[in-house]
Amino acid sequence: QAQLVESGGGLVQPGGSLRLSCTVSGITFSMYHMAWHRQAPGKQRELIASITSSGMANYQDSMKGRLTISRDNAKNTVFLQLNSLEPEDTAVYYCKAIHKLKPTTTHWGQGTQVTVSS
């Protein structure tokens, strides 16, 4: 049974940084592309970054230039470095696993809250 556990969220001041982690168990991590999504209050969940099983990263425009996605296949973990955070970045951040051969096979974490406020 797949389990994705996010951590690293919290309260940060505007301009600050956070590093989120998502540790995966119960699936073969190297067979999955990974992605980070976020959902702000009253808004739809949106994709912000993804990384292929081989480590190729892709970023959506909403936070481009302010985040870095990476993965450590030996630790079954994907990371999201968030920089220059703004109050508008306040959201629940979710990680998602997408099977690289069967893209309809996906798994979600429970999310971690990021709050940007002074």
Side-chain angles (χ1 to χ4, degrees):
Q1 182 176 350
Q3 188 172 17
L4 284 67
V5 180
E6 298 98 334
S7 61
L11 175 64
V12 62
Q13 292 188 339
S17 299
L18 282 175
R19 189 191 195 206
L20 308 182
S21 300
C22 173
T23 300
V24 178
S25 60
I27 56 175
T28 304
F29 185 67
S30 60
M31 291 296 292
Y32 284 79
H33 306 315
M34 298 298 298
W36 285 95
H37 294 242
R38 69 177 182 178
Q39 187 166 18
K43 295 188 177 181
Q44 289 189 330
R45 192 173 298 189
E46 63 169 344
L47 171 68
I48 56 174
S50 60
I51 187 166
T52 66
S53 58
S54 59
M56 183 175 297
N58 187 60
Y59 301 97
Q60 301 303 300
D61 289 340
S62 57
M63 293 189 73
K64 205 167 188 176
R66 298 192 293 122
L67 53 79
T68 303
I69 188 171
S70 61
R71 65 189 291 161
D72 185 338
N73 284 350
K75 295 182 178 179
N76 287 2
T77 301
V78 60
F79 304 97
L80 186 68
Q81 177 69 40
L82 302 169
N83 299 319
S84 302
L85 285 164
E86 304 166 352
E88 294 73 25
D89 297 319
T90 295
V92 179
Y93 286 71
Y94 298 90
C95 69
K96 180 182 179 181
I98 307 104
H99 197 284
K100 71 177 188 179
L101 300 178
K102 297 181 290 182
T104 55
T105 298
T106 62
H107 308 283
W108 288 91
Q110 83 291 346
T112 186
Q113 176 71 47
V114 172
T115 301
V116 185
S117 176
S118 56

